[in-house]
Amino acid sequence: MDSQLEAVRQDIRDVKDEIVEVKQKVAAAKDAHNAEREQSHFNLLLSLNQQLSGLQEKENILLRSQAPRKHDPDSMEEQAPLKKARTDPAGREEIAARANKKLPSPSSFAKPSGEGGWTHPKLRELQQYMCFHRSPHDIDTQTTPVVLLDPILAQVSHDCECATPTDADCKFAGLVASAMSQAFADEEQRMQTFWQLLEDEFNVTFQRAKYHKAETDGSFIHLGGMLVNIEVKNEIGSGGGAIHVQNAAYAAAHAFQAKKVRGKSVCPTLLIELAGPNMSLSGAVYTDMALCDQLSPMVSLLWQPHSRLMVQAAKCFAAIRKALPSLRRFYEALDQQALEQQEPTRQLEYPYKTSFIGPHGSAQHLLYHEKLSRTCFKATLDSQEGLVLVKFCKSYSKDAHTCLSSHGYAPNLVAIASLTDGWLMVVMEFVTGCLWDEAPKKPVATLQAAVHLLHQAGFVHGDLRSNNIFVLADGVRVIDFEWAGVMEQSTYPLFMNHTDLAWPDGARDGQPIKQEHDLWWLKLLCNQAAASLVAY
């Protein structure tokens, strides 16, 4: 299986290299005004993109089909019910029990090598139910961000970047920097000093909690909930293991064992990582898997009063100052729910945002039905019949969307609501057509009319790939207006996918989105329609 996967990946690399070469030939033919050669190279580019999509799908199939080793005590037959169980609430309990049984000592799990390490093949099943180390891997790219799953942790993320530190935050940052910039004989000494500072400032009490034959470096547990967990390394590189993975493993272990709070919440936990005079904040939750995301960069705690680095530390302490009472109130309210035998107040596998104010000023409530991707969900509204799509993103052009939807070229837009940490919740009509690639007959003229209308109104889309075009009986529906906006004002986002996708010339991170780029995609889609018509 490994050799087959590597062969497919090599094919992907080869096709990507060829795409780069053909794009250069297309540009050269265009500069030479050789329309025939430009068209020939363009058709080849279309074929290569289709070939690349097929190879990437094959790669995903191979990744998903990798089974546990024969010496793994849990067979494939035992795993099958768990995959089905995720569709019902009882599945969370079964997954927690299975994961708790399989989880080794968090200190061992944090090490990238060894039998108990988080990358070891023996723990492949466990890796399906825990995501602590984000990477361009199948499961990591499908898990919903923690900041969409808990509002308190979303506020922490926002405050770490945007808070205005108070006098108290700055004084405390200076106090911590003065202490943490000292040399400590061992981890225990640094940990105890850090404990004392936090306990005195925030009126909390830390204790060492035991999970799977290992002890935390400080936990604040209240009414069954782990509000805060600290992981300490005396210096960067000391102690062994990944500090973020180890801290997240302790939070997961607590959630797996805390049935009372797990049954009614996502068990939000604020994590503090301290490595020498450096600190970061992370957030952990348990939905139908244990998730952890870093909420702040690793900030310096060295004494540098004239540096913005100390301001970053003060912002983190401002975030902690706000989060601790919020978490305390949350778990106290949860405890009251348990006493009153109440059901969970939300769907625990889905984002915390379940309502918004509609266009007429009334509250609209969502019921989630299915996760389509890490940030897209199928849902229904209590105020109307039919399905809606709920999409979470950091930017969205309402004007560009409504420009097309008012003429039937995009789904009807229901609402856009703002969330903490810069996120938006976009609710729109759910489209049930097929994607452009899958449509046997592609309405080219209708798509051309939609793009022309968008440009005439002064907008650009920026991402007119085939997976953003739905074909219905009455025409097309263009979706995904995250990058769209006013012509000559809209720019491409940072961290575009230049590895797997070919883009028009000039479509680069942070650069302006131009009409020519939309027309490049339109030409590609029209050529694809012509090619499928010939094949048909």
Side-chain angles (χ1 to χ4, degrees):
M1 179 65 74
D2 289 342
S3 61
Q4 189 178 1
L5 181 61
E6 182 52 40
V8 171
R9 286 174 169 168
Q10 183 58 53
D11 289 342
I12 289 174
R13 289 191 287 269
D14 292 342
V15 172
K16 287 177 182 177
D17 291 341
E18 194 171 352
I19 285 174
V20 172
E21 293 177 7
V22 174
K23 281 188 68 178
Q24 293 171 348
K25 291 178 180 178
V26 171
K30 185 176 181 180
D31 292 340
H33 304 289
N34 190 330
E36 183 178 350
R37 181 164 294 182
E38 180 187 357
Q39 185 65 49
S40 174
H41 291 319
F42 202 87
N43 290 339
L44 177 57
L45 185 62
L46 173 64
S47 175
L48 288 170
N49 274 321
Q50 291 173 331
Q51 186 179 345
L52 180 61
S53 297
L55 287 168
Q56 288 169 339
E57 179 60 27
K58 189 174 181 180
E59 179 189 26
N60 286 334
I61 291 171
L62 288 171
L63 284 170
R64 288 194 292 268
S65 66
Q66 286 184 343
R69 308 283 181 176
K70 289 183 179 179
H71 60 261
D72 195 314
D74 291 311
S75 68
M76 292 299 291
E77 288 74 18
E78 288 176 299
Q79 291 183 47
L82 280 181
K83 293 182 179 179
K84 295 177 183 177
R86 288 196 181 192
T87 62
D88 64 82
R92 295 180 74 245
E93 295 303 303
E94 190 176 354
I95 290 167
R98 171 71 65 84
N100 187 56
K101 180 181 177 182
K102 297 280 288 183
L103 182 65
S105 159
S107 55
S108 298
F109 186 72
K111 296 175 182 177
S113 60
E115 278 210 14
W118 59 280
T119 62
H120 198 275
K122 280 185 67 175
L123 299 179
R124 188 170 290 140
E125 183 199 347
L126 181 62
Q127 292 161 15
Q128 297 179 58
Y129 311 125
M130 301 170 71
C131 180
F132 304 153
H133 188 92
R134 298 280 186 180
S135 65
H137 183 270
D138 190 40
I139 194 168
D140 300 331
T141 56
Q142 292 177 11
T143 52
T144 301
V146 165
V147 293
L148 296 179
L149 298 166
D150 183 76
I152 299 174
L153 298 178
Q155 187 65 50
V156 172
S157 178
H158 173 80
D159 290 340
C160 285
E161 182 176 358
C162 303
T164 300
T166 64
D167 177 62
D169 299 324
C170 293
K171 285 181 178 178
F172 186 60
L175 187 65
V176 175
S178 179
M180 290 297 106
S181 58
Q182 306 300 315
F184 289 87
D186 53 34
E187 183 179 295
E188 177 76 17
Q189 192 180 68
R190 184 179 289 277
M191 179 191 74
Q192 291 291 346
T193 302
F194 192 59
W195 273 24
Q196 193 63 54
L197 289 165
L198 295 178
E199 288 179 341
D200 291 347
E201 183 71 15
F202 299 120
N203 191 30
V204 294
T205 302
F206 290 101
Q207 63 187 50
R208 303 196 75 165
K210 288 188 176 183
Y211 300 96
H212 297 272
K213 301 180 181 180
E215 277 190 327
T216 68
D217 289 337
S219 305
F220 175 35
I221 297 172
H222 181 58
L223 296 175
M226 178 183 276
L227 282 69
V228 180
N229 198 68
I230 303 171
E231 180 59 33
V232 179
K233 306 293 181 187
N234 195 27
E235 295 291 345
I236 289 179
S238 67
I243 189 171
H244 295 96
V245 172
Q246 187 168 346
N247 210 4
Y250 279 120
H254 182 85
F256 294 154
Q257 297 175 22
K259 186 174 182 178
K260 185 176 76 169
V261 296
R262 186 180 65 241
K264 297 182 182 298
S265 77
V266 296
C267 307
T269 301
L270 175 62
L271 304 179
I272 303 176
E273 295 89 25
L274 180 71
N278 304 279
M279 179 187 74
S280 65
L281 304 185
S282 300
V285 297
Y286 176 69
T287 55
D288 57 354
M289 66 186 304
L291 300 172
C292 178
D293 284 340
Q294 203 168 329
L295 304 179
S296 82
M298 185 69 84
V299 300
S300 173
L301 296 179
L302 291 172
W303 175 252
Q304 303 173 92
H306 302 295
S307 169
R308 66 180 183 278
L309 297 179
M310 277 190 70
V311 177
Q312 289 181 332
K315 288 183 177 184
C316 288
F317 290 124
I320 295 172
R321 191 182 303 278
K322 184 182 291 187
L324 281 174
S326 296
L327 286 166
R328 193 191 293 266
R329 287 191 297 270
F330 173 82
Y331 280 106
E332 287 170 353
L334 204 66
D335 188 60
Q336 187 62 35
Q337 285 181 33
L339 291 174
E340 297 171 0
Q341 301 289 307
Q342 294 180 19
E343 292 297 312
T345 57
R346 54 170 280 201
Q347 295 172 276
L348 300 176
E349 295 93 337
Y350 292 100
Y352 70 85
K353 185 69 172 177
T354 57
S355 65
F356 59 91
I357 302 300
H360 303 296
S362 59
Q364 306 287 305
H365 298 278
L366 288 162
L367 179 67
Y368 292 105
H369 293 284
E370 185 181 349
K371 179 180 177 181
L372 304 175
S373 71
R374 68 193 301 263
T375 55
C376 289
F377 304 85
K378 187 189 293 186
T380 50
L381 286 170
D382 60 358
S383 61
Q384 66 182 55
E385 294 184 0
L387 293 167
V388 293
L389 175 74
V390 184
K391 178 184 179 72
F392 295 90
C393 53
K394 284 296 188 92
S395 66
Y396 203 84
S397 177
K398 177 181 178 181
D399 293 337
H401 187 137
T402 53
C403 171
L404 291 191
S405 63
S406 62
H407 290 78
Y409 294 136
N412 292 324
L413 187 61
V414 178
I416 298 179
S418 296
L419 282 71
T420 305
D421 201 30
W423 285 86
L424 299 171
M425 181 176 75
V426 183
V427 184
M428 69 187 79
E429 169 193 14
F430 190 85
V431 176
T432 55
C434 61
L435 290 173
W436 183 268
D437 282 347
E438 302 163 352
K441 293 184 179 180
K442 301 173 174 41
V444 170
T446 308
L447 179 60
Q448 289 173 329
V451 175
H452 178 72
L453 175 65
L454 190 69
H455 288 176
Q456 284 292 100
F459 298 109
V460 287
H461 187 280
D463 194 13
L464 285 173
R465 289 179 290 147
S466 58
N467 60 323
N468 289 328
I469 313 293
F470 276 89
V471 177
L472 282 71
D474 62 348
V476 299
R477 299 292 187 275
V478 179
I479 63 169
D480 203 349
F481 293 83
E482 283 186 62
W483 302 358
V486 177
M487 201 177 301
E488 298 184 357
Q489 294 182 18
S490 301
T491 57
Y492 286 102
L494 303 180
F495 309 110
M496 291 171 66
N497 183 359
H498 296 288
T499 304
D500 301 325
L501 299 172
W503 296 91
D505 289 338
R508 312 299 296 177
D509 299 35
Q511 295 302 303
I513 300 173
K514 299 180 179 181
Q515 279 190 0
E516 304 92 87
H517 301 160
D518 285 349
L519 296 176
W520 187 91
W521 286 114
L522 180 61
K523 184 176 181 181
L524 197 68
L525 295 170
C526 292
N527 283 355
Q528 185 181 2
S532 64
L533 185 61
V534 170
Y536 180 76

